Amino acid sequence: MSLGKTIVQFTPQSFSCHFKKFLESNYIHTSYDIVLKDTIDSPQIRACVRGRAYRNLNLDPNRLKYPMKRTGKRGEGRFTRITWEEAVDTITNELTRVKKEFGPASRFSPIGGPWGSISPNGLAKRLLSLDGGYLDTYNDYSTAQQDTITMYTYGSVMIGNSQEDILNSKLIILWGFNSAETIMGSLCNYYLRKAKDLGIKIIVIDPRHTDTVVAFADQWIAPLPTTDAAFADAVSYVIITENLHDKDFLDRCCIGFDEEHMLDEIPPNNSYKNYCLGISDGIPKTPEWAERITKVPAAIIRTFARELAASKPANIVLGWGPQRHSNGEQQARGTMLLAALTGNVGISGGGTSGAAYLSRHKIPDIPIPTNPFPGKIPAFLWTDAITRGTEMGIADGVIGVDRLPSSIKLILCLGSGNLLNQHSDCNKTAKILQDETKVEFIVVSDNFMTPSAKFADILLPADNFFERDNIKRAWVYGDWVAYSNKLMEPPYECRNEYDWLTEVAERLGLKEEFTQGKTMEGWCKWITDEIRSEHPDFPSFEDFKKQGIYRWKHDKPYVAFEKEVKDPLKYPFPTPSGKIELFSKRLFDMNRPEEIPAIPKYVPAWEGPEDPLKNKYPLQCISWHHRFRTHSIHDNNSWLNEAQQHVLWMNPSDAKKRSLNNMDRVKVFNGRGSLIIPVKITKRIMPGVVGIPHGAWYSPDKDGVDQRGCINTLTSQRPTYLAHGNPQHTNLVEVVKL
């Protein structure tokens, strides 16, 4: 244990929150920023409120203390204490039995859990691969729609300019991008503040008047949820009809904009221009057309379009919320279209929009051997793989095999809230997990008796990030990597997953293959050596561990696709055509034009503003990442709960129709479930829309009515059309006073 000194730490999730802790007498007294040389070119990173409040959970008396086995029905939360030896023996026996009876594809570990180069989920997959295989996943809950459609458009998701390049923009459009609350990288808010100080205009597009609007915006535009693509179409209509588009860029770098730039084998009248002008379907996508759908006044759409076209370079920064809808692929595609239409791709100050990730450095994870079972499912469809696994095939997004040979029968859920709380439709998920004829064995490793933990057959007390070594990068945008030193020993009988998985591996005769003779610290040294093999200037393991953080420096901002735009013949884009594909033949060949169009196009959403179900449930219900929670982490943190109450946002006009007063307790419901929550009446959300922050712990009463305000009581397990992704922001509900 390290007493009386400071040690670099970082949060276990993906929000790049690095800070130091001061430890004395086994108590973490304070958290504060790591102080490095602070310059304009290389500014100081700072911890967010979530990172600073972690120390309140570390020695919480409600932490799980001992391994336990279930004594009641699944979900009741009744357990009895067992020894670690019994827990490890039981897990080993069940892994072996289920593999023998149902095959390796019946074993599953949901994504999620603490991030870092050594993650519990990665460790589970490492062991399952060595033991014959498991059912793996691809994509994720966060960005499946935008990542998938970005691949079809640009051929890669690593298409972002570095964040500091935003200071070279003349116009910044934050499209559903709520960095003030979500924290999209350690320095994102710093650069936005600096951009504002430089006089760069910032427009925020969001149904909510978010804290990002308050902090940075010169203008707020509020389209109805799920209608962003219609807004983008109308903006394109103005730009095209007023001859403001970048013809040279479209000619050189894109296919599919007009009939002159289509593939020879495609029938006529399938270009984006013909769709936008109404030549192909008889409906010009005018601002007046879009106003009826989006509720954004036509005059504002025209002004926005002209300003975007005139303000080169402009950067459309797409958040993750707009694509987390039932038609989310089209929201992301609409913003990428605008970036291309205005020629802002491949230039400093511009941007690609879409999944604009960037990583200039290679930081490996603990390796996962090749999975002997080649099949994968979309990450969001794991409950389908329980209820109808053997029916799932290519049409469900299964890859690697034509059809799954088994349904899921065993789950290793290590530090993941996705077993219940963060997955859609908690009531439906709970019923699936309660049925022991479906999933026969569930292991959960966690810090607290979370809603997911209650469904364990074997429940294990995990350590936390104060109690283990690990290495963590600065999410997907930063030039930082941190060594998170172990600060103290785990309390009671809490253990790291690596320790007990090693014991399982030993019983399976796989210990040497699993550990390769390394401890957790040994794997951190291996990762450091791998970094040094790619970046010779990186410090030695000993120096890295001592200093705790390393910052790469670069002479200038990175601009994605710079050489491809300057010389697309010599440097083609990584797409089948070698160009930005505004028309995708791969999507065209799917022959589902109404759901998966070959061009960027507004597709009305199920449970959107045009769905007849709106007559029964008239309000669109969205969610956002709360300032005081990292997904469901911190919902039991008293400090953060004191700082801000968990409430439903509603516009005064909708509250008046329901005779509601501010902070009334209300019931929010639809066909999937009901929840109870106080209502905050505010003009900061547009009429017809209500919002609930995500991450509250699912807490149903005896009638199944959630008492905490868990948004996933209301969300759907129906996946999106193309990515089979998560549509958790697309919900129709009604609200009544209790």
Side-chain angles (χ1 to χ4, degrees), residues 156-460:
S156 172
V157 295
M158 306 304 288
I159 61 171
N161 294 4
S162 54
Q163 280 193 327
E164 68 272 23
D165 187 57
I166 206 167
L167 302 179
N168 297 317
S169 302
K170 291 183 178 176
L171 174 66
I172 299 169
I173 299 162
L174 304 179
W175 199 310
F177 188 84
N178 185 18
S179 60
E181 293 175 82
T182 304
I183 314 296
M184 306 290 280
S186 301
L187 295 174
C188 180
N189 290 330
Y190 167 83
Y191 287 122
L192 286 173
R193 172 56 58 190
K194 191 163 183 62
K196 189 169 180 63
D197 292 343
L198 291 172
I200 301 170
K201 184 172 182 178
I202 299 176
I203 299 174
V204 175
I205 299 175
D206 200 303
R208 289 176 58 236
H209 193 274
T210 64
D211 287 358
T212 300
V213 179
V214 174
F216 303 116
D218 296 287
Q219 183 181 3
W220 173 43
I221 298 175
L224 281 174
T226 74
T227 68
D228 301 72
F231 181 85
D233 282 340
V235 172
S236 299
Y237 180 91
V238 174
I239 290 174
I240 294 170
T241 56
E242 296 187 6
N243 205 28
L244 302 175
H245 50 298
D246 190 329
K247 302 179 192 62
D248 175 66
F249 179 86
L250 292 166
D251 287 344
R252 293 187 306 105
C253 299
C254 302
I255 64 166
F257 171 66
D258 56 23
E259 295 296 304
E260 289 71 40
H261 297 86
M262 296 290 285
L263 300 174
D264 293 338
E265 62 267 37
I266 302 303
N269 215 17
N270 275 295
S271 68
Y272 177 76
K273 183 177 179 182
N274 277 23
Y275 156 74
C276 188
L277 299 183
I279 297 171
S280 60
D281 62 1
I283 305 172
K285 310 308 176 295
T286 65
E288 286 73 21
W289 166 82
E291 179 178 344
R292 289 191 291 274
I293 297 170
T294 66
K295 305 306 178 189
V296 177
I300 290 179
I301 296 175
R302 283 195 170 83
T303 301
F304 174 84
R306 291 164 184 159
E307 188 167 15
L308 171 60
S311 303
K312 197 171 182 177
N315 190 347
I316 303 173
V317 185
L318 179 64
W320 295 358
Q323 56 88 51
R324 213 171 286 148
H325 279 289
S326 60
N327 59 355
E329 292 88 347
Q330 297 310 312
Q331 330 286 17
R333 210 170 180 203
T335 64
M336 289 186 281
L337 166 78
L338 293 176
L341 194 66
T342 52
N344 276 300
V345 178
I347 61 173
S348 179
T352 57
S353 195
Y357 303 132
L358 167 66
S359 178
R360 290 185 274 193
H361 323 105
K362 291 185 177 180
I363 304 169
D365 296 331
I366 190 170
I368 300 174
T370 300
N371 185 1
F373 177 70
K376 293 184 179 182
I377 60 172
F380 184 64
L381 294 190
W382 65 271
T383 42
D384 282 45
I386 293 174
T387 58
R388 59 181 189 90
T390 55
E391 301 171 11
M392 293 179 67
I394 295 172
D396 300 292
V398 172
I399 61 174
V401 294
D402 292 336
R403 189 168 295 278
L404 296 184
S406 171
S407 298
I408 292 173
K409 293 293 182 181
L410 179 149
I411 295 175
L412 294 180
C413 180
L414 309 186
S416 171
N418 288 331
L419 185 64
L420 182 70
N421 209 77
Q422 298 309 101
H423 191 57
S424 287
D425 198 343
C426 287
N427 290 331
K428 181 178 180 180
T429 305
K431 289 181 180 177
I432 292 171
L433 296 177
Q434 285 164 351
D435 186 346
E436 296 178 38
T437 67
K438 292 186 170 67
V439 180
E440 297 186 0
F441 186 67
I442 300 175
V443 178
V444 173
S445 175
D446 214 318
N447 293 141
F448 296 97
M449 186 63 76
T450 63
S452 295
K454 292 180 179 177
F455 285 81
D457 296 308
I458 295 292
L459 179 56
L460 305 176

Side-chain angles (χ1 to χ4, degrees), residues 43 51 60 143 157 165 188 216 285 309 316 321 328 339 418 478 482 493 521 539 546 559 581 647 679 721 725:
D60 188 297
T143 58
V157 295
D165 187 57
C188 180
F216 303 116
K285 310 308 176 295
I316 303 173
N418 288 331
E493 294 187 16
E521 187 181 51
K546 182 178 180 181
V559 177
E581 297 198 345
V647 294
V679 60
Y721 295 121

